[in-house]
Amino acid sequence: SEDCGICDVCVGNKRDAASPNSIHSAREQILQLLSDGQRHNIAELQANSIPLLKLWAALDDLVKEEDVMTDGTHFWSNA
């Protein structure tokens, strides 16, 4: 079966495809969007033209590091 590209397993499978520099750039874009203190859904984050794989890898890192919080539907800055 094909990877969905969304769940933790699929993101982990493809993580090596995203370079550290491109993930850093995606993280910065995400943090900039979330700096308004509002909750944002995934569609708003995808509107930044970040490739989906890099978006999920960056979000995964940010959530694990507790820089970004999520309720499973929305994301917001923990700053």
Side-chain angles (χ1 to χ4, degrees):
S1 72
E2 289 187 38
D3 285 349
C4 69
I6 297 173
C7 71
D8 289 344
V9 173
C10 292
V11 169
N13 288 342
K14 299 290 184 176
R15 182 170 217 113
D16 293 336
S19 72
N21 287 341
S22 64
I23 290 183
H24 178 74
S25 174
R27 287 170 51 105
E28 293 300 316
Q29 288 180 295
I30 292 165
L31 290 172
Q32 178 64 35
L33 176 68
L34 299 180
S35 69
D36 65 2
Q38 301 296 310
R39 293 176 181 229
H40 296 272
N41 64 37
I42 193 65
E44 292 173 273
L45 297 174
Q46 287 177 295
N48 277 340
S49 301
I50 302 169
L52 189 59
L53 186 59
K54 292 175 186 169
L55 175 67
W56 283 113
L59 279 172
D60 186 51
D61 284 350
L62 289 166
V63 169
K64 284 180 181 174
E65 294 170 8
E66 297 183 356
D67 292 326
V68 169
M69 305 302 289
T70 184
D71 61 9
T73 304
H74 294 89
F75 298 88
W76 63 94
S77 176
N78 194 27

